[in-house]
């Protein structure tokens, strides 16, 4: 994942996978002033900048409580803990996602139960989740993959019938809407990552947990800060998962621009969809809700060849993710039969992420389109 934005200045003909410097140029003047203030006020850890960001982002996400933390991985850990899920409990998790989706479940001592994904969208397949239920199933983690909400009607209905806690991993989908409402607060707890390459990225590591439940909010705030309700009084085993003031200052400046940045991502995706539609290529399936295009992932049996062809033309691509969770060496104890995830395997072997980032120029995307066409439909 690091190579996502290392050394990614756009120069000459090279088309990078991402170019975060374009975002920085837009906010630099304002952000520098705020960062100066963070230093002047020594608001390094938690403090007024984190609180200001929490208010702004809660407003943006239309949820009651937003708790800033130090990464998306920490957010997912706290979500599982705050839902009181632990040893002996099972949590349904899609096999096709970034592995951090399930770390929190494992850290909390619970057992992830991998499920297959929907062939069209790559998000959790509820019919398959149903087959993997047991008396110990306590929660389901829905991942809003690539920027598109999982089918929340199906997830919420299933969870209601089975009395499961719903946790959303919205790391890739800040601002994406389901039924015109931003993802994150549909379930009990929602998690976000502000890893620099995400649609809203910090200047380092950061994350967020959101909820509408005041008791869960209290528990999250305590857990991220050593389990203390008041200073030096520790109710339970806690963690140091606080957010940095500098990150909050940068995030707040970027959040103000996020709607415009997301609109450009949608334009770029639209351009890919229109101009690649004639090719022998599976384009992303978009349901009638909303998609914020963290990634633009196409599918083809000739994935590896296409990737090499693009690399030869100096166009960088990505794989998200080439090894599904049921094939990860560290998770082999979870599933006895790795053949039962056909769609997760399909996405892993055929998916290719084309460059799509805020600041990408029309000429750049058109060249990607031309080079893809040159490989799949040579004149
Ligand atoms: C990025 C990401 C995470 C982890 O977030 P970090 O901030 O890198 O810890 C978790 N889940 C998904 C789906 C992600 O894309």
């Amino acid at each position: 994942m690091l190579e996502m934005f290392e050394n990614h200045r756009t120069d000459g003909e090279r088309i990078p996978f991402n170019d975060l410097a374009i975002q920085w140029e837009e906010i630099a003047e304002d952000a520098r002033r705020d960062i100066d203030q963070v230093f002047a006020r020594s608001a390094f850890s938690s403090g007024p900048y984190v609180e200001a960001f929490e208010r702004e982002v809660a407003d943006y996400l239309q949820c009651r409580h937003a708790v800033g933390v130090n990464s998306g991985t920490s957010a997912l850990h706290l979500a599982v803990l705050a839902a009181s899920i632990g040893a002996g409990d099972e949590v349904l998790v899609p096999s096709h996602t970034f592995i951090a989706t399930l770390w929190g479940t494992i850290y909390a001592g619970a057992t992830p139960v991998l499920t297959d994904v929907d062939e069209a969208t790559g998000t959790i397949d509820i019919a398959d989740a149903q087959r993997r239920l047991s008396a110990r199933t306590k929660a389901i983690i829905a991942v809003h993959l690539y920027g598109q909400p999982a089918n929340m009607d199906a997830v919420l209905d299933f969870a209601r019938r089975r009395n499961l806690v719903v946790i959303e991993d919205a790391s890739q989908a800040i601002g994406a809407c389901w039924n015109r409402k931003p993802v994150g607060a549909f379930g009990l707890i929602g998690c976000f990552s502000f890893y620099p390459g995400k649609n809203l990225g910090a200047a380092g590591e950061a994350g967020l947990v959101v909820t509408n439940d005041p008791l869960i909010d209290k528990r999250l705030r305590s857990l991220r800060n050593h389990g203390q309700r008041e200073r030096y009084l520790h109710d339970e085993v806690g963690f140091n998962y606080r957010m940095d003031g500098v990150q909050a200052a940068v995030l707040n400046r970027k959040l103000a621009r996020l709607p415009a940045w997301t609109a450009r991502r949608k334009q770029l995706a639209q351009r890919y969809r229109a101009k690649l539609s004639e090719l022998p290529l599976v384009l992303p399936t978009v349901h009638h809700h909303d998609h914020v295009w963290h990634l633009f992932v196409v599918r083809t049996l000739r994935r590896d060849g296409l990737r090499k062809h693009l690399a030869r033309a100096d166009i960088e691509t990505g794989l998200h993710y080439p090894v599904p969770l049921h094939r990860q060496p560290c998770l082999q104890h979870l599933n006895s039969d790795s053949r039962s995830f056909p769609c997760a395997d399909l996405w892993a072997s055929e998916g290719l992420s084309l460059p799509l980032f805020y600041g990408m120029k029309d000429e750049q995307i058109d060249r990607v389109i031309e080079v893809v066409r040159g490989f799949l439909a040579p004149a």
Side-chain angles (χ1 to χ4, degrees), residues 49 63 83 97 106 130 139-140 245 277 282 292 303 323 329-330 358 379:
Y49 288 88
C63 63
T97 180
I106 292 177
Q130 180 109 29
I140 178 169
S277 63
V282 181
V292 294
R303 189 268 306 276
V323 183
C330 69
Y358 175 71

Side-chain angles (χ1 to χ4, degrees), residues 93-96 113-119 122-129 131-132 326 339-347:
V93 181
S95 186
H96 178 60
V113 174
L114 300 178
T115 73
D116 205 11
V117 294
D118 176 45
E119 183 186 339
T123 58
I124 194 161
D125 175 351
I126 292 300
D128 189 65
R131 288 191 282 275
R132 303 188 197 246
H326 64 273
R339 287 164 307 178
S340 54
F341 302 86
C343 295
D345 281 329
L346 187 76
W347 280 93

Side-chain angles (χ1 to χ4, degrees), residues 1 71-73 76 97-98 100-101 143 169 171-172 193 195 198 206:
M1 225 159 119
S71 75
T73 303
L76 284 148
T97 180
F98 181 55
T101 298
V143 181
D169 183 349
S171 296
Q172 303 187 356
S193 163
Y195 182 74
K198 298 284 157 73

Side-chain angles (χ1 to χ4, degrees), residues 1 70-76 96-103 143-146 169-173 191-196 198 204-208 294-295 321:
M1 225 159 119
N70 61 347
S71 75
T73 303
S74 300
L76 284 148
H96 178 60
T97 180
F98 181 55
I99 196 164
T101 298
L102 68 50
W103 284 147
V143 181
H144 305 309
L145 195 70
Y146 304 151
D169 183 349
S171 296
Q172 303 187 356
C191 302
F192 293 84
S193 163
F194 303 126
Y195 182 74
K198 298 284 157 73
E205 307 284 344
L208 187 79
H294 175 55
L295 295 168
Y321 299 88

Side-chain angles (χ1 to χ4, degrees), residues 30 38 58 101 131 164 195 244 262 276 282 289:
D30 293 334
V38 171
T101 298
R131 288 191 282 275
L164 305 179
Y195 182 74
D244 286 347
T262 301
L276 295 174
V282 181
H289 293 268

Side-chain angles (χ1 to χ4, degrees), residues 3 7 16 31 40-41 62 90 102 112 122 166 168 202-203 210 228 236 258 280 288 330 370:
E3 34 321 338
N7 193 19
R41 300 169 69 181
Q62 297 172 33
E90 293 180 354
L102 68 50
V166 174
E168 296 174 68
V210 302
Q228 51 193 345
E236 62 180 321
L258 188 62
H288 65 283
C330 69
E370 275 323 298

